Amino acid sequence: MEEKNLNQIGVSFKGSGSYVPDQILTNQKISQKVDTSDEWIKSRTGISERRISSLGDNVTDMGYKAALNAIDNANWDVKTIDLIVLATSTPHDLFGSAPSIQAKLGASNAVAFDLTAACSGFLFALITASQFLKGGNFKRAVVIGADQLSSFVDWKDRRSCILFGDGAGALAIEATNEFDNFIGFDMRTDGKRGSFLNLPSKNKKDSIIDNIDFLSGSFSPIQMNGQEVYKFAVKEVPIILDKLFREKNYTSDQVDWLVLHQANQRILDSVGERLKIPREKILSNLEKYGNTSAATIPLMMDEAIRNQNIKQNDIIATSGFGAGLSWGAALIKWG
Ligand code: COA
């Protein structure tokens, strides 16, 4: 680690990248597995299809490809990267997948670790990395959101299996002493409501030798109370964004783009309505990918940056929310 540079006062956004697996699971195909229909899924969620990982597409593979795209987009030499944070709830290795991504990238000067906060994960990781940069310890960071929830979905549960898909996205961010494009953020957790959305470990008792038990490790599929999660999102997300706007002396009409965690089109519409942000400013790609958990925000941002919707100096309000329950918001200027 190089000497601390206390003049680093701000963060700038230098590049984006993403990756999704090739396999497409349409609503029509899901209806061959569970009792549902394209019409039901589309009208309740806005989702038409999602991507499903196969061999060669685990979180390390997807995260690596998204990170490489972001690094190329930023035009960085991988050796100049100081920090890699991987937001995921579905690592390929429970000890952490970020180190494998660091090795695949050849980013040998970067410290790399995982961060778990479910669908708030990318936002929490972006905030975490920004604090390291503003603290003066690191200059360049790659923040990745990657998830493979298809491995943990109960494909017999029509109330939840329709929602999720796999993918990855990444942003390349840099410390600067000239300006700060990370305008502000807020983060919240309410563990008391945690039972609304879980991917819990299955504690199966076994014994090592006589009288010494242990709990073998595996996970139960995703358990979700959809209605409660829905109510939580449409209530808390506008509150946290509105509070952030007020704190930073912004009004919602100064926002160029609202980039919400892509959970459900009805949630996006409702948050937009409450904040009085018109539909054309609310970015959405969940029709194609569903809810890719920690990947949704960078996947959406990368698409909008590459098709030149998001331009230099655009103001982006973003919010992640989900299991924990956890939620957060950030206000940034692109560039
Ligand atoms: N296809 C057809 N019918 C379905 C169905 C499906 N895939 N899933 C549920 N239903 C049925 C239910 O069985 C229920 O039938 P009933 O009235 O005969 O009992 C009916 O549809 C309504 O179910 P309900 O759970 O009230 O639906 P909903 O309008 O709340 O929509 C979700 C369900 C999951 C789409 C919605 O609650 C949601 O999006 N919640 C947020 C979930 C989320 O975003 N999670 C991740 C957060 S990070």
Side-chain angles (χ1 to χ4, degrees), residues 236-249:
E236 301 292 0
V237 174
I239 291 175
I240 200 167
L241 278 165
D242 185 53
K243 183 168 162 269
L244 184 59
F245 294 160
R246 284 167 199 273
E247 273 169 16
K248 295 295 160 188
N249 289 320

Side-chain angles (χ1 to χ4, degrees), residues 36 40 44 119 158-159 224 226-227 229 261 263-264 291:
T36 189
W40 194 96
R44 300 282 176 130
C119 298
R158 69 175 183 171
R159 290 165 306 141
M224 185 183 75
Q227 287 186 1
V229 175
H261 166 53
N264 182 320
N291 178 346

Side-chain angles (χ1 to χ4, degrees), residues 198-212:
N198 301 103
L199 205 174
S201 66
K202 239 195 286 188
N203 286 337
K204 190 166 166 287
K205 204 172 98 175
D206 207 335
S207 58
I208 303 169
I209 54 167
D210 281 353
N211 301 323
I212 303 286

Side-chain angles (χ1 to χ4, degrees), residues 88-109:
T88 187
S89 305
T90 52
H92 187 53
D93 181 337
L94 271 187
F95 287 160
S97 289
S100 307
I101 295 177
Q102 181 248 27
K104 277 180 144 213
L105 290 169
S108 49
N109 296 315

Side-chain angles (χ1 to χ4, degrees), residues 25-27 30-31 34-37 40-42 44-50 153-155 157-165 224 263-264 286 289-291:
L25 179 64
T26 60
N27 291 346
I30 288 194
S31 68
V34 291
D35 182 13
T36 189
S37 66
W40 194 96
I41 302 171
K42 248 195 229 157
R44 300 282 176 130
T45 69
I47 300 166
S48 290
E49 57 188 47
R50 67 290 289 144
V153 160
D154 178 353
W155 287 106
D157 178 8
R158 69 175 183 171
R159 290 165 306 141
S160 61
C161 76
I162 54 154
L163 296 174
F164 301 104
M224 185 183 75
N264 182 320
L286 50 66
Y289 305 123
N291 178 346

Side-chain angles (χ1 to χ4, degrees), residues 11 83-87 113-117 120-135 138 141-143 173 182 185 187 330:
V11 169
L83 172 67
I84 296 170
V85 186
L86 169 66
F113 59 87
D114 290 16
L115 183 152
T116 303
S120 307
F122 180 78
L123 194 78
F124 283 20
L126 187 66
I127 293 164
T128 302
S130 302
Q131 299 310 296
F132 276 109
L133 299 192
K134 289 190 189 186
F138 298 118
V142 177
V143 185
I173 64 173
F182 203 103
F185 70 87
M187 303 157 89

